[in-house]
Amino acid sequence: MELILDEFIHEHLLPGFTPYFIYRIIVGKQDVGTCVFRLGSDSEHEYDGHIAYTIDEAYRGRGYAYQACLLLKEKIRKEGYDHVIITCDPENLPSKKTILKLGGQYQGTKPVPKALKKFFTPDEKVKEIYIWEVKS
């Protein structure tokens, strides 16, 4: 597996957005999903997290999100982070499983603030918040 940088978005950002990297997740020669790493502080990413991943439906259940995060770890450290926030919806058991397998430490479950709801789908009302230590 490898992560291929698809794009670094850092100019003309919408208010409330921070610069972010979009990586394609490649297994063999197959594109199986994406992984996003958002720069910024913990408070800026308390609800959306520094990391987001999406695995195409045909490739789910194979641990690709977990493996992609492990590959992303060195890139995160090079950006000066010793930890990042990863969030998920309480009902998203595959994502929660990935976060826990990474060693994510549960920080709590919080409702998405009204001011931030425009950045989330209508179904995303609550987020579980985890800290992933990446220093080692």
Side-chain angles (χ1 to χ4, degrees):
M1 171 184 282
E2 62 181 324
L3 295 179
I4 304 292
L5 180 61
D6 193 37
E7 198 169 1
F8 176 56
I9 310 295
H10 62 285
E11 297 179 328
H12 312 294
L13 295 166
L14 295 172
F17 279 67
T18 62
Y20 57 99
F21 299 88
I22 303 173
Y23 294 92
R24 290 182 299 125
I25 304 169
I26 308 295
V27 177
K29 294 185 182 211
Q30 187 62 47
D31 191 331
V32 302
T34 59
C35 191
V36 174
F37 172 46
R38 301 176 184 105
L39 301 176
S41 69
D42 289 357
S43 62
E44 289 172 304
H45 294 294
E46 184 173 18
Y47 297 94
D48 63 349
H50 289 99
I51 296 175
Y53 38 78
T54 303
I55 304 300
D56 297 341
E57 193 169 340
Y59 301 101
R60 292 180 185 165
R62 301 179 193 186
Y64 292 154
Y66 170 76
Q67 292 173 47
C69 288
L70 291 180
L71 290 174
L72 191 59
K73 186 176 182 178
E74 189 58 36
K75 298 171 190 315
I76 294 168
R77 291 173 54 188
K78 283 183 180 176
E79 290 294 331
Y81 293 81
D82 61 4
H83 72 274
V84 290
I85 293 178
I86 307 177
T87 67
C88 69
D89 293 341
E91 302 82 25
N92 189 340
L93 298 180
S95 186
K96 188 184 307 191
K97 183 178 173 182
T98 296
I99 295 167
L100 293 173
K101 189 173 180 180
L102 288 167
Q105 298 297 308
Y106 179 71
Q107 302 298 299
T109 301
K110 295 184 178 182
V112 174
K114 192 174 190 174
L116 298 178
K117 287 190 179 196
K118 63 185 174 189
F119 299 115
F120 296 89
T121 68
D123 293 339
E124 294 179 290
K125 296 177 177 22
V126 176
K127 292 292 180 177
E128 288 187 2
I129 301 162
Y130 296 83
I131 297 278
W132 179 33
E133 300 286 342
V134 296
K135 46 188 159 197
S136 60

PDB file of all heavy atoms in Angstrom, residues 13-19 38-39 44-45 48 116 118-119:
ATOM      1  N   LEU A  13      -8.980  29.365   0.903  1.00  0.00           N
ATOM      2  CA  LEU A  13      -9.769  28.496   1.774  1.00  0.00           C
ATOM      3  C   LEU A  13     -11.018  29.221   2.261  1.00  0.00           C
ATOM      4  O   LEU A  13     -10.991  30.438   2.491  1.00  0.00           O
ATOM      5  CB  LEU A  13      -8.939  28.066   2.978  1.00  0.00           C
ATOM      6  CG  LEU A  13      -7.729  27.202   2.674  1.00  0.00           C
ATOM      7  CD1 LEU A  13      -6.809  27.124   3.879  1.00  0.00           C
ATOM      8  CD2 LEU A  13      -8.155  25.818   2.240  1.00  0.00           C
ATOM      9  N   LEU A  14     -12.081  28.491   2.415  1.00  0.00           N
ATOM     10  CA  LEU A  14     -13.299  29.049   2.983  1.00  0.00           C
ATOM     11  C   LEU A  14     -13.069  29.392   4.448  1.00  0.00           C
ATOM     12  O   LEU A  14     -12.225  28.768   5.106  1.00  0.00           O
ATOM     13  CB  LEU A  14     -14.437  28.039   2.870  1.00  0.00           C
ATOM     14  CG  LEU A  14     -14.885  27.688   1.458  1.00  0.00           C
ATOM     15  CD1 LEU A  14     -15.889  26.541   1.493  1.00  0.00           C
ATOM     16  CD2 LEU A  14     -15.486  28.900   0.774  1.00  0.00           C
ATOM     17  N   PRO A  15     -13.799  30.362   4.987  1.00  0.00           N
ATOM     18  CA  PRO A  15     -13.656  30.681   6.413  1.00  0.00           C
ATOM     19  C   PRO A  15     -13.887  29.442   7.269  1.00  0.00           C
ATOM     20  O   PRO A  15     -14.811  28.664   7.036  1.00  0.00           O
ATOM     21  CB  PRO A  15     -14.754  31.726   6.656  1.00  0.00           C
ATOM     22  CG  PRO A  15     -15.002  32.329   5.305  1.00  0.00           C
ATOM     23  CD  PRO A  15     -14.771  31.225   4.313  1.00  0.00           C
ATOM     24  N   GLY A  16     -13.021  29.247   8.244  1.00  0.00           N
ATOM     25  CA  GLY A  16     -13.121  28.093   9.125  1.00  0.00           C
ATOM     26  C   GLY A  16     -12.341  26.881   8.643  1.00  0.00           C
ATOM     27  O   GLY A  16     -12.231  25.899   9.361  1.00  0.00           O
ATOM     28  N   PHE A  17     -11.798  26.934   7.435  1.00  0.00           N
ATOM     29  CA  PHE A  17     -11.016  25.816   6.903  1.00  0.00           C
ATOM     30  C   PHE A  17      -9.533  26.090   7.111  1.00  0.00           C
ATOM     31  O   PHE A  17      -9.096  27.232   7.084  1.00  0.00           O
ATOM     32  CB  PHE A  17     -11.280  25.618   5.407  1.00  0.00           C
ATOM     33  CG  PHE A  17     -12.531  24.850   5.110  1.00  0.00           C
ATOM     34  CD1 PHE A  17     -13.782  25.377   5.407  1.00  0.00           C
ATOM     35  CD2 PHE A  17     -12.469  23.596   4.532  1.00  0.00           C
ATOM     36  CE1 PHE A  17     -14.939  24.669   5.134  1.00  0.00           C
ATOM     37  CE2 PHE A  17     -13.614  22.881   4.256  1.00  0.00           C
ATOM     38  CZ  PHE A  17     -14.855  23.421   4.560  1.00  0.00           C
ATOM     39  N   THR A  18      -8.768  25.029   7.333  1.00  0.00           N
ATOM     40  CA  THR A  18      -7.321  25.127   7.447  1.00  0.00           C
ATOM     41  C   THR A  18      -6.708  24.375   6.265  1.00  0.00           C
ATOM     42  O   THR A  18      -7.385  23.558   5.634  1.00  0.00           O
ATOM     43  CB  THR A  18      -6.836  24.506   8.771  1.00  0.00           C
ATOM     44  OG1 THR A  18      -7.173  23.120   8.780  1.00  0.00           O
ATOM     45  CG2 THR A  18      -7.450  25.211   9.975  1.00  0.00           C
ATOM     46  N   PRO A  19      -5.440  24.619   5.950  1.00  0.00           N
ATOM     47  CA  PRO A  19      -4.803  23.871   4.853  1.00  0.00           C
ATOM     48  C   PRO A  19      -4.888  22.363   5.094  1.00  0.00           C
ATOM     49  O   PRO A  19      -4.867  21.906   6.241  1.00  0.00           O
ATOM     50  CB  PRO A  19      -3.354  24.355   4.894  1.00  0.00           C
ATOM     51  CG  PRO A  19      -3.414  25.699   5.527  1.00  0.00           C
ATOM     52  CD  PRO A  19      -4.525  25.607   6.549  1.00  0.00           C
ATOM     53  N   ARG A  38      -5.565  17.308   7.846  1.00  0.00           N
ATOM     54  CA  ARG A  38      -5.823  18.742   7.990  1.00  0.00           C
ATOM     55  C   ARG A  38      -4.825  19.355   8.963  1.00  0.00           C
ATOM     56  O   ARG A  38      -4.651  18.853  10.072  1.00  0.00           O
ATOM     57  CB  ARG A  38      -7.234  18.971   8.515  1.00  0.00           C
ATOM     58  CG  ARG A  38      -8.321  18.405   7.640  1.00  0.00           C
ATOM     59  CD  ARG A  38      -9.696  18.598   8.305  1.00  0.00           C
ATOM     60  NE  ARG A  38     -10.738  17.991   7.530  1.00  0.00           N
ATOM     61  CZ  ARG A  38     -11.350  16.844   7.846  1.00  0.00           C
ATOM     62  NH1 ARG A  38     -11.017  16.188   8.952  1.00  0.00           N
ATOM     63  NH2 ARG A  38     -12.300  16.362   7.081  1.00  0.00           N
ATOM     64  N   LEU A  39      -4.191  20.427   8.553  1.00  0.00           N
ATOM     65  CA  LEU A  39      -3.306  21.167   9.446  1.00  0.00           C
ATOM     66  C   LEU A  39      -4.161  22.026  10.366  1.00  0.00           C
ATOM     67  O   LEU A  39      -5.296  22.363  10.032  1.00  0.00           O
ATOM     68  CB  LEU A  39      -2.344  22.037   8.635  1.00  0.00           C
ATOM     69  CG  LEU A  39      -1.434  21.298   7.655  1.00  0.00           C
ATOM     70  CD1 LEU A  39      -0.602  22.295   6.852  1.00  0.00           C
ATOM     71  CD2 LEU A  39      -0.547  20.312   8.382  1.00  0.00           C
ATOM     72  N   GLU A  44      -9.340  23.775  16.431  1.00  0.00           N
ATOM     73  CA  GLU A  44      -9.880  23.962  15.080  1.00  0.00           C
ATOM     74  C   GLU A  44     -10.452  22.666  14.506  1.00  0.00           C
ATOM     75  O   GLU A  44     -11.296  22.707  13.609  1.00  0.00           O
ATOM     76  CB  GLU A  44      -8.791  24.476  14.133  1.00  0.00           C
ATOM     77  CG  GLU A  44      -8.378  25.909  14.395  1.00  0.00           C
ATOM     78  CD  GLU A  44      -7.187  26.331  13.574  1.00  0.00           C
ATOM     79  OE1 GLU A  44      -6.134  25.662  13.655  1.00  0.00           O
ATOM     80  OE2 GLU A  44      -7.311  27.342  12.860  1.00  0.00           O
ATOM     81  N   HIS A  45      -9.996  21.532  15.012  1.00  0.00           N
ATOM     82  CA  HIS A  45     -10.426  20.247  14.452  1.00  0.00           C
ATOM     83  C   HIS A  45     -11.054  19.318  15.489  1.00  0.00           C
ATOM     84  O   HIS A  45     -11.063  18.104  15.316  1.00  0.00           O
ATOM     85  CB  HIS A  45      -9.247  19.573  13.750  1.00  0.00           C
ATOM     86  CG  HIS A  45      -8.822  20.349  12.556  1.00  0.00           C
ATOM     87  ND1 HIS A  45      -9.622  20.490  11.449  1.00  0.00           N
ATOM     88  CD2 HIS A  45      -7.705  21.079  12.313  1.00  0.00           C
ATOM     89  CE1 HIS A  45      -9.012  21.258  10.559  1.00  0.00           C
ATOM     90  NE2 HIS A  45      -7.857  21.635  11.074  1.00  0.00           N
ATOM     91  N   ASP A  48     -14.182  17.827  13.410  1.00  0.00           N
ATOM     92  CA  ASP A  48     -13.940  17.165  12.115  1.00  0.00           C
ATOM     93  C   ASP A  48     -12.660  16.342  12.122  1.00  0.00           C
ATOM     94  O   ASP A  48     -12.457  15.506  11.250  1.00  0.00           O
ATOM     95  CB  ASP A  48     -13.920  18.159  10.960  1.00  0.00           C
ATOM     96  CG  ASP A  48     -12.806  19.189  11.042  1.00  0.00           C
ATOM     97  OD1 ASP A  48     -12.138  19.305  12.094  1.00  0.00           O
ATOM     98  OD2 ASP A  48     -12.601  19.910  10.047  1.00  0.00           O
ATOM     99  N   LEU A 116     -21.215  25.185  13.600  1.00  0.00           N
ATOM    100  CA  LEU A 116     -20.425  24.314  12.717  1.00  0.00           C
ATOM    101  C   LEU A 116     -21.273  23.362  11.881  1.00  0.00           C
ATOM    102  O   LEU A 116     -20.748  22.684  11.003  1.00  0.00           O
ATOM    103  CB  LEU A 116     -19.425  23.499  13.543  1.00  0.00           C
ATOM    104  CG  LEU A 116     -18.377  24.279  14.316  1.00  0.00           C
ATOM    105  CD1 LEU A 116     -17.494  23.334  15.113  1.00  0.00           C
ATOM    106  CD2 LEU A 116     -17.544  25.131  13.379  1.00  0.00           C
ATOM    107  N   LYS A 118     -23.118  23.654   9.433  1.00  0.00           N
ATOM    108  CA  LYS A 118     -23.085  23.845   7.974  1.00  0.00           C
ATOM    109  C   LYS A 118     -21.942  23.060   7.323  1.00  0.00           C
ATOM    110  O   LYS A 118     -21.958  22.825   6.122  1.00  0.00           O
ATOM    111  CB  LYS A 118     -22.978  25.325   7.633  1.00  0.00           C
ATOM    112  CG  LYS A 118     -21.703  25.984   8.123  1.00  0.00           C
ATOM    113  CD  LYS A 118     -21.705  27.468   7.866  1.00  0.00           C
ATOM    114  CE  LYS A 118     -20.495  28.108   8.503  1.00  0.00           C
ATOM    115  NZ  LYS A 118     -20.558  29.552   8.461  1.00  0.00           N
ATOM    116  N   PHE A 119     -20.941  22.632   8.113  1.00  0.00           N
ATOM    117  CA  PHE A 119     -19.805  21.876   7.589  1.00  0.00           C
ATOM    118  C   PHE A 119     -20.040  20.354   7.633  1.00  0.00           C
ATOM    119  O   PHE A 119     -19.192  19.591   7.200  1.00  0.00           O
ATOM    120  CB  PHE A 119     -18.529  22.202   8.368  1.00  0.00           C
ATOM    121  CG  PHE A 119     -18.137  23.649   8.284  1.00  0.00           C
ATOM    122  CD1 PHE A 119     -18.137  24.438   9.421  1.00  0.00           C
ATOM    123  CD2 PHE A 119     -17.780  24.223   7.080  1.00  0.00           C
ATOM    124  CE1 PHE A 119     -17.771  25.774   9.351  1.00  0.00           C
ATOM    125  CE2 PHE A 119     -17.418  25.553   6.995  1.00  0.00           C
ATOM    126  CZ  PHE A 119     -17.419  26.334   8.132  1.00  0.00           C
TER     127      PHE A 119
END
